[in-house]
Amino acid sequence: MAAARAAVVCGLGTHLPSRVVTNSDLARELDTSDEWIRSRTGIGQRHIAEDGTATSDLAVEAGQRALKSAATSASTDAVDAVIVATSTPDHSCPATAPAVAARLGLGIVPAFDVAAMCTGFLYGLAVGGGLIAAGTAHSVLVIGADTYSSILDPEDRSTRAIFGDGAGAVVLRAGDPDEPGALGPVILGSDGTGSELIRILSGGSRDPIRPEHTERADPYFRMAGAQVFRNAVERMAEASLEAVARAGWALDDTDVFVAHQANLRIIHAVADQMRLPRSRFPVHLDRVGNTAAASIPLVLADAVTAGALRPGHRTALAAFGGGLTWGAATLTWPDITPV
Ligand code: ACO
């Protein structure tokens, strides 16, 4: 039997809007404080897109950089599929990915969005890996991009304190399951009985926003923070344990755990639940907040730059988001330079 084709990470690129909003900036507008936000979330600042900047603009920047990063590695195949993981698409239809693929000059490749909120990047990796394993694609650009500033209630201190805008992307290519960068097992899950915990009530088919209904419509993102917190800890810990076990690794030999960056207390609780040192979980949210689908590639790039994530490191990824959705994956970190 022919060896299975693995999806190998061969490029990593990121992009953050230049405007930085600190906790003190928020405290000038809302009833909050730097002390509250830092102690309850670990976040010190976030990057916020200028008005008129859409998710595709961030996605194109990150995509270009990932392609540049891949060009310096051994990758040879041209990208022949594009996946954009986002819950803040440019428009409710069509998908954002075809426009991104066109702007990247990738031609008439298949391109589609994946909507799994903060777990979107891991779902995108799983789908991209599946396209490669099936032979449908040879090389897939997976982008996680979100502009949460466009959906937050300006008066909601609990969500505005957390979310920031950004994008991150990887290039996957077909390769050998044993080579560095090859995606190992990906664990995915969902529990739609918790769908009301994170959602935008109005603007979809359940509650369309029509001119005559605007008074009772709620077009903003809402989150039941405390319940989400508990679910996030349990699901990310469980999924990480399962992914590491399926990879055949001992937990102690897993070097780096890249967890979705929603709240530092969540990351610490996951480490504690897994009885692992907190130092194995890189932290980036202090500078960018929760960037939703962009969070995992952004923290990966930051950890590489900081020297915390190095070629050969056994790496687990974990995320949790609205849906509810969650996931985890493993890979041995490849020798690539983030751009
Ligand atoms: N400043 C000051 N006070 C605040 C702020 C703020 N920025 N935000 C909330 N509070 C207040 C609340 O109003 C509440 O006040 P009350 O007791 O008078 O009603 C109090 O703090 C406690 O509120 P909680 O919501 O219980 O606060 P908590 O400690 O849980 O922190 C937070 C809120 C930060 C949102 C936290 O629950 C959290 O991080 N949840 C998980 C987020 C997450 O993981 N999301 C998953 C992905 S999101 C996605 O998929 C898009």
Side-chain angles (χ1 to χ4, degrees):
M1 207 171 78
R5 271 157 55 106
V8 179
V9 174
C10 64
L12 173 61
T14 59
H15 174 69
L16 290 164
S18 58
R19 177 154 61 122
V20 170
V21 174
T22 64
N23 294 344
S24 306
D25 292 333
L26 283 184
R28 276 190 282 278
E29 274 183 63
L30 295 163
D31 181 15
T32 188
S33 65
D34 180 52
E35 199 283 326
W36 193 96
I37 299 173
R38 271 183 205 278
S39 62
R40 304 302 292 168
T41 71
I43 296 167
Q45 62 173 45
R46 70 287 297 143
H47 291 247
I48 299 293
E50 297 295 340
D51 286 351
T53 298
T55 294
S56 64
D57 301 323
L58 308 184
V60 166
E61 291 278 351
Q64 257 162 0
R65 290 166 192 229
L67 293 170
K68 202 167 159 194
S69 165
T72 63
S73 79
S75 170
T76 48
D77 285 324
V79 162
D80 55 3
V82 175
I83 298 172
V84 174
T86 188
S87 41
T88 52
D90 286 15
H91 304 282
S92 44
C93 69
T96 301
V100 170
R103 284 171 62 189
L104 288 171
L106 295 173
I108 56 167
V109 297
F112 55 94
D113 291 1
V114 165
M117 302 202 80
C118 294
T119 321
F121 186 75
L122 284 185
Y123 269 69
L125 276 186
V127 175
L131 291 176
I132 288 175
T136 308
H138 298 288
S139 179
V140 183
L141 178 62
V142 181
I143 305 174
D146 269 308
T147 315
Y148 264 62
S149 60
S150 66
I151 57 171
L152 299 183
D153 178 351
E155 292 178 7
D156 183 353
R157 62 184 179 176
S158 67
T159 53
R160 281 198 62 204
I162 296 184
F163 289 97
D165 301 332
V170 297
V171 178
L172 300 175
R173 64 166 170 82
D176 188 280
D178 295 328
E179 66 180 300
L183 275 184
V186 184
I187 311 300
L188 299 175
S190 81
D191 178 5
T193 64
S195 61
E196 78 289 354
L197 297 178
I198 301 177
R199 72 176 171 188
I200 299 176
L201 192 62
S202 306
S205 56
R206 176 71 65 202
D207 185 21
I209 299 179
R210 300 211 164 93
E212 64 273 24
H213 291 161
T214 46
E215 269 171 33
R216 64 163 175 74
D218 182 2
Y220 292 122
F221 173 91
R222 305 288 177 202
M223 179 169 73
Q227 282 157 284
V228 171
F229 190 114
R230 283 191 293 279
N231 275 285
V233 173
E234 275 175 31
R235 295 300 188 184
M236 282 202 285
E238 274 169 22
S240 300
L241 289 172
E242 195 179 338
V244 167
R246 281 212 216 164
W249 298 349
L251 199 54
D252 273 348
D253 296 338
T254 308
D255 302 294
V256 180
F257 289 82
V258 172
H260 171 59
Q261 311 271 302
N263 186 322
L264 186 59
R265 291 188 295 132
I266 293 179
I267 297 172
H268 285 168
V270 171
D272 296 350
Q273 186 154 323
M274 294 173 73
R275 297 177 194 278
L276 287 166
R278 293 176 175 182
S279 58
R280 283 197 214 172
F281 291 69
V283 172
H284 188 218
L285 54 65
D286 51 325
R287 285 151 291 151
V288 299
N290 179 352
T291 54
S295 172
I296 297 268
L298 280 169
V299 67
L300 283 172
D302 185 66
V304 172
T305 306
L309 178 58
R310 297 188 292 279
H313 269 158
R314 288 181 167 189
T315 308
L317 316 176
F320 180 87
L324 303 170
T325 55
W326 59 88
T330 61
L331 76 166
T332 301
W333 191 250
D335 189 4
I336 56 172
T337 308
V339 176

